Amino acid sequence: MAVAARDIGLRAASAVVLAPAAVLAIWAGGLWFLGLMLTACALLAIEWAMMSAPKAWRLMAGAVGLGLVAAVISAHVGQLSLALVMLVFCAAAAGLFARSRGQEALDAAYGVLYLGWPAVLLIWLRAADSDTGPHMGLYWTVFAFAIAWASDIMAYLAGSTIGGPKLWPRFSPNKTWSGFIGGLAAGTVAGALMGVYLDMGIGLWGGVLGLAAAIATMAGDLWESALKRRYGVKDAGNLIPGHGGLLDRVDGLMFAVVVVACGRLIILMTGGGGA
């Protein structure tokens, strides 16, 4: 119990230091948010490379990182279709480059898609401001982060304090069903609250989208655990004390962003609100 308490304290201290920078960049939007995303992409590319190709991580990081930067900048200037095409093209290019250097082509190609897809969609969400909804991009971005953070935090707290049967011991021996259920409940509540108090035009339906995004958050966490097991590492990195690497912190958010972006797209297609 004492070890768990120290771990929670270290995680909380790291969050207090790092979260404000992310929150300010999200609030400011524009070049500030682009800077945040480019920095995150560079760090994630390095972590992915060190995890998947430790003997040639610099080459892998460069190949993956260039693909991420190209796609993110394309999305930032409003070319979403081009950004998605760039992801596919850069993934193929990164794979061919890795293969020419004797590395696993699939690892490089998958790294671009795995990290780039949610990054592009997050840029799209934040850029959703319009004359009819001047703060809509901010609201949708806050919505995605709030659900992912609430789900992740409550899953950790419930799993650490309640414990119980393991969720998927083959790939993630520390995750429990109590943490999973706690994360889903927190994500649903966060989605409902955000849907009601932010002028997004979804009301209590935000709880339904929150539940879907919370499930995605848990799935993203489990998927990264499976990847780490495949590569034989405990953490994706050691950038954040108490948390491991940046990828260890945003794995659930990456999946949640995809679900939230799909939710916004459905609302747009059905003519809902100012989304």
Side-chain angles (χ1 to χ4, degrees):
M1 185 65 70
V3 174
R6 287 196 300 270
D7 192 24
I8 292 174
L10 188 57
R11 283 171 173 254
S14 298
V16 167
V17 173
L18 296 175
V23 170
L24 286 174
I26 293 169
W27 177 80
L31 291 177
W32 290 101
F33 189 66
L34 175 63
L36 173 69
M37 293 301 300
L38 291 177
T39 300
C41 285
L43 294 173
L44 289 171
I46 292 172
E47 289 185 353
W48 177 260
M50 295 186 72
M51 183 170 64
S52 62
K55 294 182 179 180
W57 68 269
R58 290 179 177 84
L59 291 174
M60 182 76 83
V64 173
L66 286 175
L68 298 180
V69 168
V72 165
I73 291 179
S74 298
H76 174 73
V77 298
Q79 301 297 320
L80 180 63
S81 297
L82 176 61
L84 298 178
V85 171
M86 289 291 291
L87 276 181
V88 176
F89 174 80
C90 291
L96 291 174
F97 177 77
R99 184 177 180 181
S100 71
R101 295 298 186 272
Q103 300 301 309
E104 180 59 51
L106 185 59
D107 286 338
Y110 180 70
V112 175
L113 297 175
Y114 175 53
L115 303 173
W117 176 242
V120 165
L121 291 180
L122 194 52
I123 290 285
W124 177 69
L125 282 177
R126 184 59 187 88
D129 293 345
S130 65
D131 293 336
T132 57
H135 304 297
M136 198 59 63
L138 175 62
Y139 293 161
W140 277 101
T141 307
V142 169
F143 184 83
F145 272 82
I147 293 169
W149 283 355
S151 301
D152 194 44
I153 292 171
M154 185 55 66
Y156 179 78
L157 292 176
S160 298
T161 56
I162 300 174
K166 302 301 182 182
L167 178 60
W168 197 5
R170 179 183 176 185
F171 292 111
S172 185
N174 295 324
K175 293 180 176 59
T176 62
W177 278 102
S178 61
F180 179 75
I181 295 172
L184 295 189
T188 303
V189 171
L193 291 176
M194 294 295 102
V196 170
Y197 290 105
L198 297 179
D199 188 16
M200 298 167 57
I202 58 177
L204 287 174
W205 283 105
V208 177
L209 185 54
L211 174 60
I215 293 173
T217 300
M218 302 294 104
D221 198 1
L222 287 171
W223 181 247
E224 200 231 347
S225 295
L227 289 174
K228 289 189 292 186
R229 180 62 61 91
R230 177 179 185 269
Y231 295 123
V233 297
K234 181 180 182 295
D235 293 315
N238 55 9
L239 177 67
I240 308 174
H243 291 270
L246 180 60
L247 183 57
D248 294 309
R249 287 301 89 218
V250 301
D251 50 5
L253 173 65
M254 288 162 54
F255 278 46
V257 164
V258 175
V259 170
V260 172
C262 289
R264 178 177 175 250
L265 182 60
I266 291 172
I267 292 173
L268 287 173
M269 293 175 64
T270 56

